[in-house]
Amino acid sequence: MKALEEKIVREGRILPGNILKVGSFLNQQLDVDFLMEMGAEVARLYQGEKITKILTIEASGIAIATAFAAHLHVPVVFAKKHHSANQSDDVYHATVTSFTHGNTYEAIVAKEYLHAGDRVLLVDDFLATGEALRGLIAITKAANADLVGCAIAIEKGFQRGGDSLRAQGIRVESLAIIDAMSVENGIAYRRS
Amino acid sequence: MKALEEKIVREGRILPGNILKVGSFLNQQLDVDFLMEMGAEVARLYQGEKITKILTIEASGIAIATAFAAHLHVPVVFAKKHHSANQSDDVYHATVTSFTHGNTYEAIVAKEYLHAGDRVLLVDDFLATGEALRGLIAITKAANADLVGCAIAIEKGFQRGGDSLRAQGIRVESLAIIDAMSVENGIAYRRS
């Protein structure tokens, strides 16, 4: 999505350690009109797929999932992060190791909000190594729901998480894919 | 807002200790089409107020703030919760004591996202004792921004936070105000 690629270049800040700060529109400040434009593009990409639910993970996925859902007209369910195991029979859970933050947490979804027969779109703001998505995929499978695909704002292609999921046959649509990034040379986007 | 009052009665669950669970549409699952309807009502209430920014607090305020912002066409800034003081010169911060969760945290907003001259609408899903809003009001004042008012989904009127703010001259618009609530007798809404 060209408008997103340009916005990242214009407003993003690259920091050492492969960190991309997009706090002006996707993190601490949310450019909601722009998030809605991204939502329109996601609705176009997944047109006809009969999605019934968006699944994301708190907290950074919630805003973008809300904007995407406003176009797809489906509910959002977000996994909560717990730092201890929750063995309740009422929840689906998956262990996620975050390389970015160097910690491990349990992603938890109450069973009453995800069902067999649901056609699920996974949504997140960033895709790097793909650990969070793998947790959401495990939860989708545990619910016997159908995984339609993933919709991501910014994929750090060089961290390979997206391509690893695609190699498993999972549809991953990222609105911008960064194949290389450095403080010195800026951003190189993937061209298909 | 009658549709919200009816939805709370239909889908909400009252638990002992003045707890109202609305996980099916406002918390863990988000009924985004309905959130957008609430946003249309908020835009109508604050029409002509020239709001430039919505300020909310992570995580539960983000979805509703996004839906409201989609109608007001302004950015959302959300305060992050930190469990230790952040004395950086680059942030505004306020100490918030949560009676609901029995803890204290710092609400933090980067100075670059809130400015003198901003006309700020505070948004949250619930208003009970008003502690979170008081933190956001302090941050708005610290930024020399103008506080236009507050837009809340569900106010627990019997916990007095909303009326205490109104008594200070602050405009508080809650789409549903619960004046009494019990497992035995259900919900009584305020009638103005």
Side-chain angles (χ1 to χ4, degrees):
Chain A
M1 186 183 171
K2 193 154 186 62
L4 175 59
E5 292 183 351
E6 291 172 352
K7 199 170 175 74
I8 294 166
V9 168
R10 204 164 53 237
E11 300 185 27
R13 284 205 308 265
I14 303 167
L15 303 182
N18 286 330
I19 293 167
L20 175 65
K21 287 275 185 195
V22 287
S24 67
F25 66 98
L26 196 55
N27 293 131
Q28 183 154 23
Q29 180 166 264
L30 306 163
D31 182 340
V32 173
D33 282 345
F34 191 76
L35 266 48
M36 293 292 282
E37 278 180 47
M38 290 198 283
E41 174 67 7
V42 167
R44 192 188 63 77
L45 288 166
Y46 280 100
Q47 197 170 16
E49 285 290 351
K50 296 188 170 58
I51 290 159
T52 64
K53 212 155 268 182
I54 285 178
L55 180 62
T56 186
I57 193 158
E58 66 176 358
S60 61
I62 295 175
I64 201 167
T66 301
F68 291 5
H71 285 277
L72 287 164
H73 300 291
V74 297
V76 170
V77 174
F78 62 89
K80 291 174 184 276
K81 293 178 181 175
H82 285 254
H83 291 283
S84 57
N86 182 330
Q87 301 296 344
S88 159
D89 285 343
D90 302 331
V91 302
Y92 301 114
H93 60 98
T95 306
V96 177
T97 301
S98 167
F99 290 104
T100 313
H101 299 103
N103 60 7
T104 293
Y105 60 86
E106 291 288 309
I108 309 272
V109 173
K111 286 185 179 175
E112 61 184 308
Y113 299 131
L114 199 59
H115 306 282
D118 264 330
R119 292 183 54 78
V120 177
L121 179 67
L122 307 182
V123 169
D124 212 351
D125 54 348
F126 275 96
L127 166 53
T129 58
E131 291 303 315
L133 282 183
R134 265 188 282 275
L136 296 179
I137 290 166
I139 286 170
T140 304
K141 282 186 180 158
N144 284 313
D146 297 326
L147 176 64
V148 175
C150 311
I152 305 294
I154 303 174
E155 178 178 339
K156 291 176 170 171
F158 56 88
Q159 290 186 266
R160 314 307 304 165
D163 290 333
S164 154
L165 292 168
R166 289 180 189 103
Q168 293 168 48
I170 295 168
R171 182 174 178 188
V172 181
E173 299 282 359
S174 299
L175 299 180
I177 303 180
I178 297 173
D179 267 343
M181 184 176 89
S182 68
V183 178
E184 299 75 21
N185 300 317
I187 289 170
Y189 290 110
R190 184 174 301 183
R191 296 291 164 226
S192 52
Chain B
M1 187 182 171
K2 193 153 186 61
L4 175 59
E5 292 183 351
E6 292 172 351
K7 199 171 175 74
I8 294 166
V9 169
R10 206 164 51 238
E11 299 185 26
R13 283 203 310 264
I14 302 167
L15 302 183
N18 286 330
I19 293 167
L20 176 64
K21 287 275 185 194
V22 287
S24 67
F25 67 97
L26 196 55
N27 292 131
Q28 184 155 23
Q29 180 167 263
L30 306 163
D31 181 339
V32 174
D33 281 345
F34 191 76
L35 267 47
M36 293 293 281
E37 279 181 46
M38 291 199 284
E41 174 66 7
V42 167
R44 193 188 64 76
L45 288 166
Y46 281 100
Q47 198 170 15
E49 285 290 352
K50 296 189 170 59
I51 291 160
T52 63
K53 212 156 269 182
I54 285 177
L55 180 62
T56 186
I57 193 158
E58 67 176 358
S60 61
I62 295 175
I64 202 166
T66 301
F68 291 5
H71 285 278
L72 287 164
H73 301 290
V74 296
V76 170
V77 175
F78 61 89
K80 291 175 185 276
K81 293 178 181 175
H82 284 255
H83 291 283
S84 56
N86 182 329
Q87 303 295 345
S88 159
D89 287 342
D90 302 331
V91 302
Y92 301 114
H93 59 99
T95 305
V96 177
T97 301
S98 167
F99 291 104
T100 313
H101 298 103
N103 61 7
T104 293
Y105 60 86
E106 292 288 309
I108 309 271
V109 173
K111 285 186 180 175
E112 62 185 306
Y113 300 130
L114 199 59
H115 306 282
D118 264 330
R119 291 182 55 78
V120 177
L121 179 67
L122 306 182
V123 169
D124 213 350
D125 53 349
F126 276 95
L127 165 54
T129 58
E131 291 303 314
L133 282 184
R134 267 188 281 274
L136 296 180
I137 290 166
I139 286 170
T140 304
K141 283 186 179 158
N144 284 313
D146 296 326
L147 176 63
V148 175
C150 311
I152 305 294
I154 303 174
E155 177 178 341
K156 291 175 170 171
F158 56 88
Q159 289 186 266
R160 314 307 305 166
D163 290 333
S164 154
L165 293 167
R166 289 182 188 103
Q168 295 168 47
I170 294 168
R171 181 173 179 188
V172 180
E173 299 282 1
S174 299
L175 299 180
I177 304 180
I178 297 172
D179 266 344
M181 184 176 90
S182 68
V183 177
E184 300 75 21
N185 300 316
I187 289 170
Y189 290 109
R190 183 174 301 184
R191 295 293 164 224
S192 53

